[in-house]
Amino acid sequence: MTMFTDRDVLVIGAGFSGLYALHRLRGQGLSVTVLEAGEGVGGTWYWNRYPGARCDSESYYYSYSFSEELQNEWEWTERYPQQPEIMAYLNHVADRFDLRRDIRLGTRVVSAEFDDDATCWHVTTDAGERLSARYLVTAVGCLSTANVPSIPGLDTFAGEWFHTGQWPHDGVDFAGKRVGIVGTGSTGIQAVPVVAEQAAHLTVFQRTANYSIPARNGPESAESRQAIKDDYAEIRRTQRESTNGHPFLISSRSALEPSADERRAIYEAAWQRGGLRFRASFGDLLSDPAANETASDFIRAKIAEIVRDPEVAERLTPRDHGFATKRPPIDTHYFEAYNRENVTLVDVRESPIEEITPTGVRTRTATHPLDLIVFATGFDAMTGPLLGLDIRGAGGRPLREKWAAGPRTYLGLQIAGFPNLFTITGPGSPSVLCNMPTAIEQHVDWIADCLAELDARGLTRMETTEEAEEAWVAHNNEAAGRTLLPQASTSWYLGANVPGKPRVFMPYAGGFAAYARICEDVARKGYDGFVRTG
Ligand code: NA7
């Protein structure tokens, strides 16, 4: 069935971004339809249901700040929210703000085309339906396109296999099975200890050893929940003024300043407290290699202490990149899992996987019989979800062609040649280097204010210029170059995890607060770097 429907805004995705975009844009009188591929709201959290799936940001700040009532009425039960609790929260948000009536579930967008004559976007869904809107807003997340490695023989495997980001909704039974997990990023590190407890045997296939900090998860007491609520105004203010959208600031002190004993005591306290805050212990961990080495060394020593078999400990020890130059995982008994009798570590850098056979995985030097394989192999991050939409801008130019050598945007919000398209947490914005809800709220607010201004002035078309984009790409590279982040050669921030993907540092590394100030400034100067016409 083909049909034309007109509205002001089409939003693609009903996760954290899409839900807030709908609430905010509808609240200012725009007609909005959200198209969501899943059969429920939740986005990334709808799909990632693997064992141990939990957010690495703490629940009280991995949440919306736009409604005081919402943040005061919701009760988080644990320090870090588990996937089902985040889903419950987002479903509550959808109900509380009456969002469902404008969300179409089970509707996957297969293409989006800008119509120069009518100044609008036409979107086609997998059911062949065409919808149109004056503005198109992508709320597709940064980590939503699964990266399943193309290993010869996968289709011959007699057992079941799953990617963690496309997990079956009725769960997976590991009992009595020989399970393989490929990948030791944040996901693998969460899943390994949980699967190890359920499976008969677990073989972990590791390509790059990873640093990890204990999460120290636990129940949130009624008192601590109340203390947080009493302090929410200040917590939210700090988040917005911070580098990573967290409610704590990074120390201004160099890691090289204290004595070795004092430094160790600072790291030890951070290790005991647990969580991503470890990274904030000193101000130069991500800019000075010698400072970074002190943190990396501290964690390496912890791995050697925790893992009983020295050979396994050494294989688990990262030596090819510094701590937090790749996204730092946090864990609950990850390294401890390797002390179990039923867990084996296979180093696939030493002995790469050559094929998957009907009965398991064959590396260059050994065969590993398996009943079930879990791919915790990450995502085609940031650009994957956008390129998957087959977006075509002015003159029919495909985004895929424009981004052939890597993503180019202005502020991560707009793309030259793609008028009236806004990308929430797009490449070139802080996104994955930030607590996501903080980054999302800032983007949605900026876009909403921008659309209100366009309407108030009777303008109908907005597009960034090639010059503004060029300057932003250069600034982005320069901001990344001031950090050690681009030096981690296996990082998904660089696209390095997906074979053939251009190596471009994708998120904006200049810090969230600085970025938000730039965006405000651009708006104040009459949307500098954009051309707006009526
Ligand atoms: P990540 O962090 O990209 O981790 C994926 C892991 O899978 C990582 O250890 C990869 O090794 C490994 N990998 C990827 N492809 C292969 C192949 N072909 N063979 C062997 N091993 C492979 O994804 P996650 O899902 O863990 O986390 C994504 C983000 O979600 C995380 O950063 C948080 O922001 C939340 P590599 O390091 O590339 O050598």
Side-chain angles (χ1 to χ4, degrees):
M1 184 180 65
T2 303
M3 140 183 137
F4 286 87
T5 325
D6 289 301
R7 80 267 304 134
D8 295 316
V9 188
L10 272 171
V11 175
I12 307 177
F16 263 97
S17 300
L19 293 177
Y20 180 47
L22 170 56
H23 174 66
R24 192 51 230 273
L25 295 171
R26 203 174 65 182
Q28 64 192 45
L30 296 170
S31 55
V32 184
T33 302
V34 178
L35 305 176
E36 165 56 55
E39 295 295 340
V41 302
T44 298
W45 295 105
Y46 175 86
W47 300 103
N48 280 267
R49 297 168 187 245
Y50 60 87
R54 190 185 287 285
C55 185
D56 288 345
S57 285
E58 298 182 40
S59 44
Y60 73 93
Y61 66 88
Y62 190 80
S63 53
Y64 291 118
S65 70
F66 69 82
S67 160
E68 264 184 53
E69 295 77 18
L70 172 67
Q71 68 185 12
N72 286 325
E73 75 201 10
W74 186 261
E75 306 277 4
W76 294 106
T77 65
E78 287 181 285
R79 178 172 174 189
Y80 303 90
Q82 247 188 323
Q83 179 270 343
E85 190 163 20
I86 303 174
M87 281 295 286
Y89 172 74
L90 291 174
N91 275 284
H92 169 73
V93 168
D95 292 330
R96 193 191 190 292
F97 299 98
D98 187 23
L99 302 178
R100 292 189 199 275
R101 63 187 157 91
D102 289 316
I103 302 174
R104 298 190 25 191
L105 300 172
T107 305
R108 185 177 288 279
V109 170
V110 293
S111 68
E113 229 178 299
F114 183 67
D115 182 334
D116 249 320
D117 301 327
T119 316
C120 71
W121 280 89
H122 300 296
V123 161
T124 307
T125 73
D126 54 356
E129 191 179 345
R130 271 174 52 104
L131 300 102
S132 58
R134 297 197 287 140
Y135 299 103
L136 180 63
V137 175
T138 58
V140 289
C142 296
L143 299 163
S144 47
T145 303
N147 170 44
V148 180
S150 52
I151 302 173
L154 178 57
D155 54 339
T156 70
F157 185 56
E160 289 181 300
W161 66 265
F162 305 100
H163 185 277
T164 51
Q166 296 170 336
W167 203 254
H169 286 198
D170 38 8
V172 173
D173 185 9
F174 297 103
K177 296 204 174 115
R178 297 163 303 175
V179 179
I181 295 187
V182 184
T184 54
S186 301
T187 301
I189 281 177
Q190 286 185 339
V192 162
V194 182
V195 175
E197 283 191 357
Q198 297 171 17
H201 190 89
L202 172 62
T203 306
V204 182
F205 297 88
Q206 168 191 279
R207 189 163 68 181
T208 307
N210 221 334
Y211 299 93
S212 184
I213 305 293
R216 313 256 181 234
N217 185 41
E220 200 67 87
S221 70
E223 296 75 49
S224 87
R225 273 202 299 258
Q226 194 49 51
I228 286 163
K229 286 178 183 178
D230 293 344
D231 200 27
Y232 248 138
E234 182 61 19
I235 288 169
R236 298 305 193 185
R237 195 183 59 75
T238 310
Q239 282 183 257
R240 284 190 275 268
E241 286 174 11
S242 70
T243 307
N244 304 103
H246 293 147
F248 46 81
L249 300 177
I250 296 173
S251 164
S252 55
R253 206 171 170 203
S254 164
L256 304 175
E257 194 191 302
S259 68
D261 282 348
E262 191 194 344
R263 183 168 53 232
R264 204 173 308 114
I266 290 171
Y267 284 140
E268 185 61 34
W271 181 269
Q272 292 309 330
R273 190 174 50 224
L276 290 172
R277 196 165 176 171
F278 188 94
R279 190 174 48 178
S281 300
F282 293 104
D284 49 2
L285 295 186
L286 284 181
S287 54
D288 180 334
N292 183 287
E293 191 60 12
T294 65
S296 302
D297 261 346
F298 177 88
I299 301 168
R300 290 179 191 129
K302 285 290 184 190
I303 299 171
E305 248 172 56
I306 298 168
V307 181
R308 284 191 216 114
D309 180 332
E311 261 177 52
V312 177
E314 181 49 34
R315 263 184 274 142
L316 285 166
T317 302
R319 303 208 181 268
D320 66 341
H321 66 285
F323 164 67
T325 56
K326 292 174 78 169
R327 162 66 154 75
I330 64 171
D331 71 275
T332 300
H333 309 316
Y334 171 66
F335 293 116
E336 289 85 343
Y338 293 94
N339 292 334
R340 297 174 62 101
E341 290 294 319
N342 71 333
V343 176
T344 309
L345 176 69
V346 173
D347 183 336
V348 299
R349 195 173 299 284
E350 216 171 73
S351 176
I353 297 178
E354 295 205 323
E355 70 165 335
I356 294 178
T357 67
T359 55
V361 166
R362 190 174 61 75
T363 66
R364 188 183 296 158
T365 51
T367 53
H368 303 275
L370 298 171
D371 304 309
L372 202 152
I373 303 173
V374 174
F375 289 103
T377 42
F379 302 89
D380 180 353
M382 307 197 70
T383 51
L386 289 166
L387 293 175
L389 296 174
D390 189 16
I391 299 175
R392 285 156 199 271
R397 186 176 188 203
L399 184 61
R400 202 166 271 285
E401 182 190 298
K402 162 139 188 172
W403 282 5
R408 302 173 60 78
T409 71
Y410 180 40
L411 301 170
L413 278 161
Q414 265 214 327
I415 304 159
F418 295 75
N420 290 9
L421 168 68
F422 295 88
T423 50
I424 303 175
T425 64
S429 75
S431 61
V432 292
L433 296 180
C434 185
N435 176 47
M436 285 305 283
T438 310
I440 286 165
E441 286 189 325
Q442 183 264 339
H443 259 196
V444 170
D445 288 339
W446 191 93
I447 294 166
D449 291 344
C450 166
L451 297 192
E453 238 241 3
L454 287 171
D455 279 353
R457 289 171 177 264
L459 301 169
T460 54
R461 181 177 161 129
M462 173 157 171
E463 183 182 1
T464 187
T465 64
E466 296 283 351
E467 296 71 41
E469 192 175 79
E470 181 61 35
W472 186 251
V473 169
H475 174 60
N476 226 36
N477 290 335
E478 178 222 336
R482 273 187 264 128
T483 73
L484 302 175
L485 296 170
Q487 293 178 25
S489 62
T490 60
S491 164
W492 60 257
Y493 295 151
L494 277 170
N497 61 326
V498 177
K501 188 166 172 170
R503 298 283 173 106
V504 170
F505 192 83
M506 296 180 288
Y508 177 65
F512 172 76
Y515 170 82
R517 275 195 299 276
I518 295 170
C519 291
E520 270 171 39
D521 232 43
V522 163
R524 203 176 312 114
K525 289 183 184 146
Y527 292 90
D528 198 18
F530 296 93
V531 173
R532 300 179 305 160
T533 48

